[in-house]
Amino acid sequence: MIGPVIYLLCTLTSLGAALLLWRGYRRSRQRLLYWSALCFAIMAVSNGLLILDLVVLPDVYLLPWRSGVNQLALLVLIYGLIFESD
């Protein structure tokens, strides 16, 4: 019973972090904030897939998709850390 609530809170937290980072990027135009916001937005999608996988569609195996989305989020952040650092 508490699992779906925690999954939803993790999704909302990732989305909130993405929105705050995006707002910071729009104010300061620091490119690292852009890449971090994009990473957290993709992580929110990954958390949404987690809800779909474990709560909404428990018979469907979405682990490869969730892992792929998580890897994409980390690749975006690594790209930003490597190529956008001053």
Side-chain angles (χ1 to χ4, degrees), residues 30-81:
Q30 293 288 323
R31 296 283 295 170
L32 191 55
L33 288 174
Y34 169 77
W35 293 109
S36 298
L38 188 58
C39 173
F40 273 95
I42 296 171
M43 284 184 185
V45 170
S46 174
N47 286 329
L49 284 174
L50 178 69
I51 293 171
L52 277 176
D53 188 15
L54 298 180
V55 179
V56 178
L57 304 170
D59 297 333
V60 179
Y61 187 66
L62 294 177
L63 180 63
W65 291 99
R66 288 187 350 225
S67 296
V69 171
N70 276 328
Q71 289 176 2
L72 177 65
L74 291 177
L75 285 174
V76 165
L77 185 60
I78 289 171
Y79 177 84
L81 287 172

Side-chain angles (χ1 to χ4, degrees), residues 13 15 21 25 47 52 72:
T13 301
L15 189 60
L21 286 164
Y25 167 70
N47 286 329
L52 277 176
L72 177 65

